Amino acid sequence: MSTTRQNGSLYTNIQNKIATIEFGHPASNSFPSELLDRLTKELISVGKNEEVSIIILKSEGEKAFCAGASFDELVAISSLEEGQQFFSGFANVLNAMRTCGKLIIGRVQGKTVGGGVGLAAACDYVLATESAAIKLSEFTIGIGPFVIEPAVTRKIGVSGTAELTLDATSWKNAYWAKEKGLYAKVFESQSELDKEVELLSEKLASYNPVALSEMKKALWQGTENWTDLLAERAAVSGELVLSEFTKQALSKFKK
């Protein structure tokens, strides 16, 4: 059952060295700034927990995995400072996923858009269902997926990111995402997905935690500049969201 809380929900369950972090929001599991901040802090906290070897990142419900950042907050941005702060939300989450020291398994049960694609890309291993189509639609409102681009390109390459970004109105299906390297495996049903997530996480949690931690470092080698890079990207997006083009595009969505 999905949450009805306006600022979303975030729960962590730790069992047998596996921390399952589950987020939710009534608007297709999108992220208001407060929820992004909570997820960032939770990832850092769990990363320091010596009783945890593996993290599973999942969302509530059976439909969308993540609709990205809160559209209501995006529409309300009125200054450069607000814009940069808004886009820094996902930057902080991606950096926390990168540096937490624990391997992260992503469970993607449904469609994911924008920042949600970045979230999946920042997981170390992603399992998904056939329903887990992806889309980067930022160009349609005059901005771009600049903050999440490094994470997406790291997984699917420059050509994959270009195809996904430039074809901003089209969904790419789960098998396209698997072929490009975003997903490791795709399953026909959520029950099959959950069974594989459970088996894989239990297997990984039985391994040497030091070896797992060192593998995390190896996988993310070359991303040491991301703290500065993603902050710069957040500033670019924060400026673009104030452009006349974007203001006109967003005016259609104001309530």
Side-chain angles (χ1 to χ4, degrees):
M1 186 173 180
S2 298
T3 184
T4 57
R5 296 179 181 178
Q6 184 177 357
N7 287 320
S9 62
L10 187 71
Y11 301 103
T12 300
N13 178 47
I14 299 175
Q15 287 186 333
N16 302 320
K17 298 183 179 180
I18 301 166
T20 301
I21 301 176
E22 182 173 2
F23 63 89
H25 192 277
S28 300
N29 290 328
S30 59
F31 274 94
S33 296
E34 179 183 317
L35 188 57
L36 285 169
D37 185 55
R38 288 175 62 192
L39 179 57
T40 298
K41 292 175 179 175
E42 188 65 15
L43 287 163
I44 293 171
S45 175
V46 171
K48 294 177 180 177
N49 189 336
E50 295 182 359
E51 299 301 313
V52 173
S53 293
I54 294 294
I55 295 173
I56 297 171
L57 184 64
K58 62 184 291 189
S59 64
E60 291 183 351
E62 298 181 352
K63 295 183 179 180
F65 170 69
C66 179
S70 168
F71 204 80
D72 289 342
E73 287 188 18
L74 177 67
V75 170
I77 293 171
S78 60
S79 70
L80 187 60
E81 183 180 6
E82 287 179 4
Q84 185 168 357
Q85 184 174 0
F86 173 83
F87 289 104
S88 292
F90 265 101
N92 294 336
V93 168
L94 297 183
N95 277 319
M97 294 175 74
R98 174 177 67 89
T99 61
C100 72
K102 314 290 184 183
L103 290 169
I104 301 174
I105 300 171
R107 173 197 178 270
V108 181
Q109 82 280 16
K111 288 183 174 181
T112 186
V113 184
V117 178
L119 205 64
C123 292
D124 298 295
Y125 196 90
V126 180
L127 301 171
T129 69
E130 290 182 337
S131 301
I134 60 175
K135 182 167 70 171
L136 293 180
S137 55
E138 285 86 345
F139 270 2
T140 64
I141 55 170
I143 57 176
F146 298 109
V147 171
I148 65 168
E149 178 277 322
V152 177
T153 298
R154 173 178 166 270
K155 275 292 177 72
I156 71 173
V158 173
S159 62
T161 300
E163 185 177 348
L164 193 59
T165 304
L166 303 185
D167 192 6
T169 60
S170 298
W171 289 96
K172 302 295 183 183
N173 67 36
Y175 291 103
W176 183 93
K178 179 180 181 295
E179 179 186 340
K180 297 296 183 182
L182 181 64
Y183 301 155
K185 295 180 181 179
V186 175
F187 301 90
E188 292 183 3
S189 67
Q190 288 192 36
S191 59
E192 290 177 304
L193 169 65
D194 288 333
K195 183 178 179 181
E196 185 64 21
V197 168
E198 182 180 1
L199 289 172
L200 177 63
S201 59
E202 288 177 352
K203 188 184 298 182
L204 286 171
S206 72
Y207 298 157
N208 184 343
V210 178
L212 295 174
S213 180
E214 289 300 321
M215 193 66 222
K216 176 81 174 190
K217 293 178 185 177
L219 290 174
W220 286 90
Q221 187 174 358
T223 64
E224 293 80 8
N225 69 325
W226 276 26
T227 299
D228 293 334
L229 175 62
L230 300 192
E232 293 170 3
R233 295 293 183 82
V236 170
S237 295
E239 187 170 353
L240 279 171
V241 79
L242 297 174
S243 68
E244 193 59 37
F245 185 103
T246 300
K247 284 181 179 179
Q248 289 185 9
L250 290 176
S251 66
K252 303 172 187 176
F253 301 96
K254 287 185 178 180
K255 296 178 180 179

